[in-house]
Amino acid sequence: MKAALFHAKEDLRVEDVPEPTPGPGQVKLRNAFAGICGSDLHVYYTPEAAGLDFDHPHPVTGSTLPQILGHEFSGTVVELGEGVTDVAVGDRVAVWPIYYCGECTACRRGMFNACQKIGFHGLSSHGGGMAEFTTVDASKLHVLPENVDLRMGALVEPMSVAWHAVSRSGVAEGGSALIAGAGPIGIGVWFALKAQGVQKVLVSEPSADRRAIISALGATVVDPVNEDLGQAVAELTGGDGVDVAFDAAGAGPAVTSSLASLVPGGRVVVVAIHERPMEFLPTQLVMAETEISGALAYLPEDFDAVIEAMSQGVYDTTGWVQEVPLEGVVDAIHALRGGAGAKILVQAD
């Protein structure tokens, strides 16, 4: 079968590899679509920033390079391993791709998404979604309802990142929010806020193309470089400031401008991965009793919530999701790194 194999920094090749066979408790999937994630860009260009140690086998999965990429993906069950009874051949699924140790402090607290040895199917495993087939534990499958297609199913993973961030924010229905960054996760945060009854939302994005994309979906936008972000926040909130702000940009100014936009007692949720450190004056938090928290990945219940919202028609892929064949994955990564487009799905088969 064809698969996108990551060998080393800036070395990703589409090659022929053997088809996998499901073991006990596993299923074999015919992959449909796999999204290119910001994490994939980090792995491709700056693997050290992604926190992955490719020099040693992964402590949970035992995986080493080369690695088939693709951790946000959908597929159809084509074969069952021994003992699998909860799904059937023909089921269309999204995959919760996290591997966790079950022993560390985070795992003991039920925070499997923050496992100290965390791994992902398609980043640090023996398979991935950017291939014609993969095998995965049946326990990781989330069956898609009839009105959620496989294209949308591949978006469950990134939309769950955003949903988890909104859950971490504590924002209440009828509240207000600022989103810094209108890439796929920023778009996902906007959809999640909408689904949870938060209508007063401002999206701050310096890219004209990305502003146009999310504006076409119905969002209120501001250019933080050439327009007055503070004034826009004041107009949205009657001068109060937003209840929550989300850093979906991964840039220092996104965090500092978010802090400056908060109502007293408000919270900034950092959901983006930063490649560089930033200067920060903690007194900013003291003077208005504001907070900064992080949000990493997702839990299975986030997948369930997103799939339910998708089945209710909350999500719309118009204008921000495009598809490329498997052979075009490297060119797509280069394009995304250059700032083109929003979300690219690789057609695995």
Side-chain angles (χ1 to χ4, degrees):
M1 69 175 184
K2 296 288 187 182
L5 276 173
F6 177 74
H7 289 264
K9 180 178 179 179
E10 298 188 43
D11 183 5
L12 178 65
R13 313 170 205 167
V14 176
E15 299 178 327
D16 285 309
V17 301
E19 280 190 27
T21 300
Q26 293 187 324
V27 301
K28 180 178 179 180
L29 300 180
R30 177 181 291 277
N31 297 326
F33 298 96
I36 300 176
C37 176
S39 299
D40 295 316
L41 300 188
H42 288 304
V43 168
Y44 184 81
Y45 287 104
T46 56
E48 64 281 357
L52 298 176
D53 178 10
F54 289 117
D55 293 328
H56 302 91
H58 189 272
V60 177
T61 68
S63 176
T64 58
L65 293 180
Q67 166 68 50
I68 299 174
L69 293 186
H71 62 283
E72 44 181 65
F73 66 103
S74 62
T76 302
V77 177
V78 294
E79 186 178 345
L80 305 179
E82 180 184 348
V84 175
T85 58
D86 292 340
V87 294
V89 170
D91 281 348
R92 299 170 310 106
V93 300
V95 178
W96 186 71
I98 289 178
Y99 293 95
Y100 56 92
C101 71
E103 300 172 350
C104 69
T105 304
C107 286
R108 294 199 306 270
R109 294 169 63 91
M111 299 171 62
F112 308 118
N113 58 313
C115 173
Q116 294 167 11
K117 299 177 182 178
I118 194 168
F120 291 82
H121 194 81
L123 280 178
S124 44
S125 63
H126 295 289
M130 292 185 192
E132 293 178 66
F133 298 95
T134 193
T135 55
V136 67
D137 292 348
S139 61
K140 297 184 181 298
L141 303 185
H142 290 251
V143 177
L144 301 174
E146 289 186 4
N147 64 342
V148 177
D149 62 22
L150 286 166
R151 186 172 184 263
M152 187 70 80
L155 298 173
V156 171
E157 194 271 0
M159 296 302 95
S160 293
V161 172
W163 193 281
H164 186 72
V166 172
S167 297
R168 290 277 293 149
S169 76
V171 66
E173 182 177 354
S176 59
L178 170 68
I179 304 169
I185 299 304
I187 291 172
V189 170
W190 184 79
F191 278 122
L193 288 167
K194 180 181 175 183
Q196 297 180 46
V198 180
Q199 302 298 330
K200 280 198 220 177
V201 182
L202 179 67
V203 181
S204 172
E205 170 56 63
S207 164
D209 288 343
R210 288 189 166 183
R211 284 199 308 276
I213 287 170
I214 198 166
S215 177
L217 293 171
T220 301
V221 300
V222 62
D223 176 356
V225 176
N226 298 303
E227 298 177 306
D228 190 332
L229 174 60
Q231 180 62 32
V233 170
E235 291 175 359
L236 178 77
T237 63
D240 289 344
V242 294
D243 297 316
V244 297
F246 299 88
D247 165 30
V255 178
T256 54
S257 63
S258 292
L259 281 169
S261 301
L262 291 176
V263 72
R267 175 181 294 177
V268 172
V269 178
V270 178
V271 63
I273 300 297
H274 287 241
E275 292 186 359
R276 300 178 183 86
M278 60 169 285
E279 289 192 8
F280 166 63
L281 183 63
T283 304
Q284 291 177 266
L285 304 180
V286 175
M287 301 309 295
E289 292 198 342
T290 48
E291 304 175 2
I292 299 177
S293 64
L296 176 64
Y298 32 66
L299 291 166
E301 50 262 40
D302 297 309
F303 266 49
D304 292 335
V306 167
I307 291 171
E308 175 61 23
M310 285 179 171
S311 73
Q312 295 175 3
V314 171
Y315 291 86
D316 181 358
T317 62
T318 304
W320 66 280
V321 179
Q322 63 187 99
E323 299 161 18
V324 299
L326 185 60
E327 290 75 12
V329 61
V330 174
D331 288 341
I333 286 174
H334 293 166
L336 288 170
R337 182 69 165 188
K343 190 64 184 179
I344 297 179
L345 299 180
V346 176
Q347 293 176 292
D349 59 354

